Amino acid sequence: MIETARHAAQLGGDVVARYYREGVEMRGKQSYNLVSDADIDAERAVVQAIREAYPDHAILAEEEHHDSAESEHLWVVDPLDGTNNFAHHIPHFAVSIAYYHQGVAQCGAVYNPIREDWYTAVRGEGAQHNGQPIHVSDCTDLGQVLVGLGFYYDRGDGMLATLAAAADFFRCNIHGVRRFGTASLDLAQVACGMFGAFFEFELKPWDFGAGRLLVEEAGGRITTCTGEEVPLKSTSMLASNGHLHAQSLAITSKHFKS
Ligand code: IPD
Ligand code: CA
Ligand code: CA
């Protein structure tokens, strides 16, 4: 299945990279929530590859394929995570694909087609970056790490709560916050130790479907921003190297409002 995930991500990534080079018109879901033919066509290429390998499996993808998250065999797909970066020609976006069996992530691939960067994980077998094993950082001090964060498309209370949480992280003397705009890659950056922690108050299943397994298989910890197990639906998310989870959770749970 990881080979199918990789194959599908390669095909989707080829589509995204072609549009990135040639240019494509961006349309607004809202003025700042963009979509394009790159998202749509990449999703179709990914879905075709999965369907060729597993015709009976369900697919939950961002744009056009919305099977139930409770399906026994489920592929969770974001054909273009980081659309805003793509639109502004920042080469930091990814195709994210994961396979879930009975609600549990079994394998996943996150692929940046511009940098030809691969993050992959298989349950019980660890996580890899371009074929090399990766591990979360072993830092036990928030004062020694970068913290990744993200904002959903909310411009109201959710945004202000995120900024307030970031301010509290700064009060712990973290080295800084980073908002790179691609949740799947943010989670990959926790998995390979670049971020001590990452949080976002609203993510969709396709944003974290593969990334959560990268973090878990790299030795990190994932919960909601209030400490519960992460459901396969719209949710808040706190990812960390484990050592920094309790301290980070104290901040995110203080600011998160459902
Ligand atoms: C978005 C990105 C972003 C995160 C948003 C997501 P999209 O996905 O992952 O980093 O902050 O919450 O919606 O719209 O680019 O696929
Ligand atoms: Ca996304
Ligand atoms: Ca997307």
Side-chain angles (χ1 to χ4, degrees), residues 62 78 80-82 206-207:
E62 179 170 10
D78 193 335
L80 174 43
D81 189 32
W206 41 83
D207 297 319

Side-chain angles (χ1 to χ4, degrees), residues 1 57-58 68-76 98-107 123 212 229-232:
M1 277 155 175
H57 287 191
S68 166
E70 277 152 35
S71 307
E72 183 181 2
H73 298 283
L74 180 71
W75 293 80
V76 182
Y99 166 71
Y100 280 68
H101 182 238
Q102 294 179 335
V104 180
Q106 302 300 320
C107 68
R123 174 161 299 279
R212 68 162 300 168
E229 197 172 314
V230 171
L232 192 52

Side-chain angles (χ1 to χ4, degrees), residues 78 80-83 85 92-94 96 110 149-152 179-190 195 198-200 202-212 214-215 237 239:
D78 193 335
L80 174 43
D81 189 32
T83 292
N85 286 341
H92 188 79
F93 44 81
S96 172
V110 174
L149 56 82
F151 301 84
Y152 193 61
R179 194 289 190 253
F180 286 150
T182 303
S184 57
L185 289 172
D186 291 327
L187 291 165
Q189 290 183 231
V190 175
F195 292 161
F198 161 79
F199 74 97
E200 184 156 351
E202 186 177 348
L203 285 175
K204 304 291 183 188
W206 41 83
D207 297 319
F208 66 82
R212 68 162 300 168
L214 292 174
V215 173
M237 178 164 286

Side-chain angles (χ1 to χ4, degrees), residues 2 12 17 26 33-34 49 53 76 96 109 111 120 126 128 130 136 150 157 186 190 205 246 251:
I2 186 64
M26 304 304 299
N33 184 356
L34 302 169
V76 182
S96 172
Y111 174 48
T120 52
Q128 299 190 325
N130 294 330
V136 293
D157 291 347
D186 291 327
V190 175
I251 295 173

